[in-house]
Amino acid sequence: MSENASAAPAAPTPVETVIIGAGPVGLFQIFELGLLGISAHIIDSLPQAGGQCTELYPDKPIYDIPALPICGAQELIDRLLEQAKPFHATFHLGQEVTELQRQEDGKFLVATATGTRLLAGAVVIAAGVGSFQPRRLALPGVEALEGKSVHYRVKSAADFHGRDLVICGGGDSALDWTVALCENARSLTLLHRRAEFRAAPATVARMRELVNSGKMRVLEGNAAALRKNADETLAGLDVRTADGRDLHVPADRVLAFYGLHPKLGPIAEWGMELEKRALKVDTEKFQTSVPGIFAIGDINTYPGKKKLILSGFHEAALTAFAIQHHLFPEKRQFLQYTTTSPIMQKRLGVAEADAHSGGT
Ligand SMILES: Cc1cc2nc3c(=O)[nH]c(=O)nc-3n(C[C@H](O)[C@H](O)[C@H](O)COP(=O)(O)OP(=O)(O)OC[C@H]3O[C@@H](n4cnc5c(N)ncnc54)[C@H](O)[C@@H]3O)c2cc1C
């Protein structure tokens, strides 16, 4: 194969619809499309589905989901995943959508940072407050080391085996990885700005045991500077401790878990009309200024918009009908009830029926 040929991106996979964002509203969109016999690929930059519910408040109870007087945020996501199961959506997690381009034939090329390329008949943007990005280690010169010796996520635990490792942060991710990597690291220092940790008590207790048995150390303080070797590889971190000492911690790997922040990112560059960093839509179809691209949930705006999960669910239902019309304009649309529709029950896997007897 020539060099040029190997550099060319792979031909995109044709799909019916793509949903960008696997928060509660994107997940319900799978269900609403599925009821109408339309399949979906769903993409999220996070490694798991759930959006804000899972990332920001998994253990908090939600009280305003219809017919669920109280429901944990993670429980809501688990229920939405369960409800969407019969429709076998393809999940592409841990991938930020970086490109969305309308093609001459009216289809949409959707491409992710990790190389997934899909060609969709319609796109639903359910991107919430934007794609969650890790907060970076704010030290001069860090860019050159990111992805090499400074990481914000563990792709393979083996990359940290036999290393002098510094883990920064005091939440669940920092503590979970401290405990998981400690036995195989050459040395491990956990650096956190204060003495209290926001992680599961059992994991904090296990970390303290590892400290007491001399297998790692914990430092209270902040990273102040990166030190590099002559060949520009990482030599270690300068640390200012909470009690005012300046220390040097030799390290060839740093894992920083400072949490995530949302970034509207590439969505702002895809040519759709925006108002106050939200996508303008109509309230009949929830279509953006680009026909065939719809926006639902926290990412959209229209007169009277309320950023509530239940508003997003309603938007997903009407968007599904609009997409059905967009993809199959010749088909007559009629409303069916899941209670009585054999075709919907067949799709849901709850009844035997002739799948070709109606529907889309
Ligand atoms: C503390 C807290 C409590 C709340 N309590 C309630 C409540 O009680 N009731 C209620 O109704 N609402 C509540 N909300 C609001 C509710 O969580 C949001 O309205 C809801 O999460 C919006 O869902 P969504 O699917 O539109 O977006 P999100 O949940 O924000 O999900 C969007 C997803 O899209 C992904 N994404 C964005 N851009 C890209 C991209 N370019 N590529 C790939 N993926 C991308 C993101 O990573 C994210 O996972 C609360 C919010 C917070 C923070």
Side-chain angles (χ1 to χ4, degrees):
M1 190 184 276
S2 77
E3 228 173 73
N4 276 349
S6 65
T13 307
V15 300
E16 266 185 324
T17 63
V18 167
I19 302 167
I20 302 173
V25 178
L27 294 178
F28 194 59
Q29 186 69 78
I30 301 174
F31 177 79
E32 286 294 323
L33 287 169
L35 280 183
L36 299 183
I38 299 169
S39 62
H41 281 237
I42 184 161
I43 308 174
D44 205 295
S45 48
L46 292 174
Q48 76 285 322
Q52 294 173 55
C53 293
T54 299
E55 200 53 50
L56 301 181
Y57 59 106
D59 303 323
K60 283 203 188 339
I62 305 178
Y63 301 98
D64 58 349
I65 303 299
L68 288 176
I70 176 168
C71 182
Q74 184 58 50
E75 181 192 349
L76 177 70
I77 297 305
D78 294 342
R79 286 171 178 267
L80 286 164
L81 285 166
E82 181 69 26
Q83 195 173 22
K85 234 185 206 165
F87 303 115
H88 307 290
T90 305
F91 282 76
H92 305 268
L93 298 175
Q95 306 191 26
E96 186 184 25
V97 176
T98 47
E99 247 183 281
L100 172 57
Q101 275 174 17
R102 190 175 184 280
Q103 309 294 288
E104 272 177 18
D105 61 0
K107 294 209 161 57
F108 298 95
L109 175 71
V110 181
T112 73
T114 49
T116 299
R117 289 161 60 79
L118 304 171
L119 193 63
V123 174
V124 183
I125 302 180
V129 280
S131 117
F132 285 102
Q133 305 288 323
R135 281 183 213 283
R136 300 169 64 202
L137 194 62
L139 297 176
V142 73
E143 296 84 358
L145 298 175
E146 284 171 336
K148 296 176 189 151
S149 45
V150 174
H151 299 268
Y152 304 112
R153 174 176 288 183
V154 176
K155 282 197 193 123
S156 161
D159 294 345
F160 301 92
H161 290 176
R163 298 290 181 178
D164 292 314
L165 175 61
V166 176
I167 296 184
C168 307
D172 282 315
S173 301
L175 270 287
D176 287 350
W177 281 115
T178 295
V179 167
L181 295 172
C182 184
E183 298 288 351
N184 290 310
R186 186 162 50 204
S187 70
L188 196 153
T189 304
L190 175 64
L191 175 64
H192 183 41
R193 65 192 157 81
R194 55 198 186 101
E196 296 76 36
F197 293 90
R198 285 170 291 101
T203 319
V204 177
R206 174 71 191 130
M207 180 274 290
R208 300 241 186 254
E209 278 172 29
L210 291 166
V211 172
N212 291 337
S213 59
K215 294 193 168 142
M216 59 165 286
R217 69 170 166 166
V218 63
L219 278 180
E220 197 184 332
N222 288 303
L226 289 165
R227 273 210 218 163
K228 295 185 186 175
N229 296 308
D231 63 357
E232 292 295 304
T233 55
L234 180 68
L237 273 185
D238 288 341
V239 169
R240 163 55 69 103
T241 64
D243 57 9
R245 288 171 298 139
D246 290 315
L247 298 180
H248 175 67
V249 183
D252 54 6
R253 288 291 181 276
V254 172
L255 266 169
F257 296 109
Y258 290 141
L260 300 165
H261 67 103
K263 177 189 93 171
L264 191 57
I267 295 169
E269 288 142 33
W270 292 339
M272 287 159 288
E273 208 178 325
L274 286 165
E275 189 178 282
K276 292 191 186 149
R277 297 175 59 75
L279 294 167
K280 275 180 89 170
V281 291
D282 63 73
T283 50
E284 181 195 353
K285 301 174 175 168
F286 299 96
Q287 188 164 250
T288 66
S289 57
V290 178
I293 303 183
F294 302 81
I296 58 171
D298 280 11
I299 193 76
N300 76 11
T301 185
Y302 51 84
K305 168 73 184 181
K306 298 285 177 283
K307 291 189 180 187
L308 287 171
I309 295 167
L310 84 109
S311 317
F313 288 169
H314 160 79
E315 294 161 14
L318 294 202
T319 295
F321 283 101
I323 287 180
Q324 187 189 42
H325 183 67
H326 182 84
L327 296 178
F328 311 104
E330 72 290 350
K331 284 210 163 115
R332 249 188 75 221
Q333 281 196 330
F334 50 97
L335 185 74
Q336 297 186 82
Y337 295 129
T338 54
T339 347
T340 49
S341 162
I343 181 85
M344 281 184 168
Q345 290 172 3
K346 168 99 176 164
R347 287 173 184 148
L348 285 163
V350 294
E352 279 306 305
D354 176 0
H356 303 290
S357 65
T360 62

